Amino acid sequence: MKSHFLIRKLHLPNRRTIATELGTGNASLVESFEKMYKQHPFTLKATLRQGEIDTDLLSACSMRGIPSMAPGDNAVYLFADESALQEWSRRQSFYGETEEKLVRELRLFLERHNRTVFEMVSERYVFNFGGPTRLMGILNITPDSFFDGSRYAEKSAAVERGFEMEEQGADIIDIGGESTRPGAVPVSEAEELARIIPVIESLASEIKIPISVDTYKAPVAEAAIQAGATIVNDISGLQFDPHLLEVVAHYAVPIVLMHIKGRPADMQTNPVYENMMDELFSFFVNSIEKAEEAGIDRSRIILDPGLGFGKRLWDNYDILQRLPELKGLGCPLLVGPSRKSFIGKILNLPVEERLEGTAACVTAAVANGCQLVRVHDVKEMLRVVQIADVICGNVVLDEQDLGE
């Protein structure tokens, strides 16, 4: 059953993000919200999928001791601490149908939001998220990917790089045969298969880590799984090929659902959002529901907000700042900032000189709760996440095991 409310905990680090969230230039409204948000950092936004927030719900919030604000027609902001929300979620009597629907979905949200450990099981692997940050190494079997340091058009060079990434500490190798950089033109299924299948077959029998196939096409995904891939990385979030659902459900493999606005050929041509985080969140709710209806368990879903895929410059940085808002979806989060143009535009540097900018974005992503980063530079980014994990408490140091 589809949810009636979309609930997320807001993470608004400054007044600019508050104004962006409220979508207003009304300084007094932003100031009032900011004051309440600072008093109640466990602020939730509950968006009704259809219809408008009714006055009975606002009265119910007040009666429960939970201040609220409803500046729009279909969303209410709830200012409370977690214990008050937990108490509310346990209620069995309600002031009206809208409150009952909200409370029912509040229970699910709190359960998912507080989840910190994820176990992902496939036929060949049991993969755990929730300790050290995992690394997905990028292996492009393409002549036209945006970073030439990741292009390996020849099978032998690609296989060698796959072994090297495993040795450098990659947890997953993500193999793609079609460039999805801005402006890229799709290739045929036959061409994509010819590029990736020989490489997957050569690596799958030798390496000890999972192989992910970076494709949105059902026939390519199926052939890759049969060749040894055990994860599907779909940049379309199930938008481009409806049959991909059937393949993933049949083989019971994990899937990465990425947010994209448009298609690679046109996604960076003036993307527009009324509320970017609302759209991102709604997209994932709809994609997850579609996957579950097809028989794909939520425990096999990874979410990727799609940095650089139909995003304005500042959208990418807002996503990194507000990544905790996606925790309530109850899935591991993957972030892929590696050497992308939103880094280059700030630093005024070409793709070859964006390593340090990538390291900063990876650190921010780890600090804000992502479990998996997709990178070109495995050796260097492993060092980055090892330090970030210690800072963020993802790993506990045993000083007896450390040198001076």
Side-chain angles (χ1 to χ4, degrees):
M1 175 184 285
K2 288 192 174 183
S3 57
H4 296 275
F5 280 95
L6 307 182
I7 303 173
R8 73 177 190 270
K9 177 182 179 293
L10 297 177
H11 182 77
L12 302 167
N14 52 53
R15 182 171 288 196
R16 184 188 69 81
T17 51
I18 290 174
T20 300
E21 167 59 38
L22 294 176
T24 179
N26 185 328
S28 61
L29 178 61
V30 172
E31 185 177 350
S32 297
F33 187 99
E34 183 180 31
K35 188 178 297 183
M36 291 296 292
Y37 179 76
K38 286 181 177 178
Q39 292 173 3
H40 303 280
F42 208 94
T43 297
L44 299 186
K45 181 177 186 179
T47 304
L48 192 64
R49 275 192 157 179
Q50 293 182 340
E52 299 180 0
I53 300 296
D54 56 42
T55 55
D56 286 344
L57 177 59
L58 300 180
S59 298
C61 294
S62 178
M63 293 293 290
R64 307 302 185 204
I66 296 175
S68 62
M69 181 185 291
D73 292 333
N74 70 333
V76 58
Y77 296 94
L78 307 170
F79 302 94
D81 58 32
E82 187 173 0
S83 60
L85 293 168
Q86 291 282 7
E87 182 179 345
W88 193 18
S89 74
R90 289 191 287 268
R91 293 196 65 87
Q92 300 297 321
S93 59
F94 309 100
Y95 286 102
E97 184 182 357
T98 309
E99 185 198 4
E100 183 177 2
K101 290 174 181 176
L102 175 60
V103 169
R104 186 169 60 242
E105 294 180 36
L106 181 61
R107 291 173 191 147
L108 266 179
F109 165 80
L110 291 170
E111 177 186 332
R112 289 170 179 162
H113 180 270
N114 291 326
R115 189 175 179 190
T116 57
V117 177
F118 303 86
E119 184 178 80
M120 199 161 286
V121 180
S122 66
E123 186 176 327
R124 292 178 57 189
Y125 297 97
V126 176
F127 212 72
N128 293 303
F129 298 96
T133 303
R134 305 295 185 174
L135 287 180
M136 175 183 275
I138 300 169
L139 185 58
N140 291 319
I141 321 299
T142 57
D144 58 342
S145 292
F146 79 94
F147 175 44
D148 61 11
S150 70
R151 300 177 199 155
Y152 296 90
E154 296 296 325
K155 174 191 168 184
S156 59
V159 171
E160 183 179 348
R161 176 56 180 157
F163 288 131
E164 182 181 41
M165 285 196 289
E166 180 185 35
E167 185 177 338
Q168 290 177 342
D171 297 290
I172 301 169
I173 296 176
D174 190 42
I175 298 178
E178 176 180 298
S179 174
T180 52
R181 60 177 171 75
V185 177
V187 300
S188 68
E189 287 176 13
E191 177 65 23
E192 193 173 349
L193 287 166
R195 291 174 179 179
I196 67 171
I197 297 303
V199 176
I200 293 174
E201 288 176 337
S202 295
L203 286 173
S205 60
E206 299 291 337
I207 64 174
K208 297 182 175 63
I209 58 175
I211 292 173
S212 167
V213 58
D214 181 1
T215 188
Y216 54 83
K217 300 169 186 167
V220 175
E222 183 163 32
I225 293 168
Q226 291 173 348
T230 54
I231 301 171
V232 174
N233 183 7
D234 174 20
I235 65 153
S236 82
L238 301 175
Q239 294 183 93
F240 296 172
D241 186 344
H243 300 294
L244 185 62
L245 281 166
E246 303 163 18
V247 172
V248 174
H250 175 74
Y251 289 96
V253 295
I255 182 169
V256 178
L257 302 178
M258 193 192 81
H259 175 267
I260 184 173
K261 194 176 181 75
R263 285 178 175 261
D266 62 10
M267 63 187 178
Q268 289 305 114
T269 306
N270 192 32
V272 176
Y273 295 91
E274 185 173 329
N275 183 315
M276 187 265 302
M277 288 304 292
D278 269 357
E279 188 167 324
L280 200 69
F281 197 82
S282 298
F283 175 91
F284 282 135
V285 169
N286 292 331
S287 294
I288 291 168
E289 286 177 350
K290 194 186 298 184
E292 290 183 320
E293 287 168 3
I296 301 169
D297 193 89
R298 187 182 290 252
S299 67
R300 290 198 175 97
I301 296 174
I302 300 168
L303 303 178
D304 176 354
L307 298 179
F309 283 80
K311 309 295 189 298
R312 300 161 297 191
L313 175 63
W314 282 107
D315 290 334
N316 299 289
Y317 293 101
D318 282 343
I319 288 169
L320 287 170
Q321 289 179 352
R322 300 180 66 179
L323 204 58
E325 296 186 28
L326 302 179
K327 281 181 61 180
L329 293 164
C331 299
L333 301 177
L334 179 155
V335 174
S338 191
R339 295 182 177 268
K340 288 184 176 175
S341 63
F342 72 89
I343 297 170
K345 287 176 181 176
I346 296 295
L347 298 178
N348 192 27
L349 289 174
V351 63
E352 295 81 11
E353 297 180 40
R354 298 174 190 167
L355 184 66
E356 298 89 347
T358 298
C361 292
V362 165
T363 301
V366 173
N368 282 326
C370 93
Q371 288 84 18
L372 179 63
V373 290
R374 184 176 181 271
V375 297
H376 299 93
D377 308 282
V378 172
K379 180 179 71 175
E380 293 84 354
M381 291 306 116
L382 176 60
R383 294 171 182 173
V384 171
V385 300
Q386 284 175 327
I387 298 299
D389 280 336
V390 174
I391 294 170
C392 299
N394 294 337
V395 298
V396 179
L397 291 180
D398 185 343
E399 295 186 15
Q400 292 180 348
D401 295 335
L402 299 175
E404 294 184 3

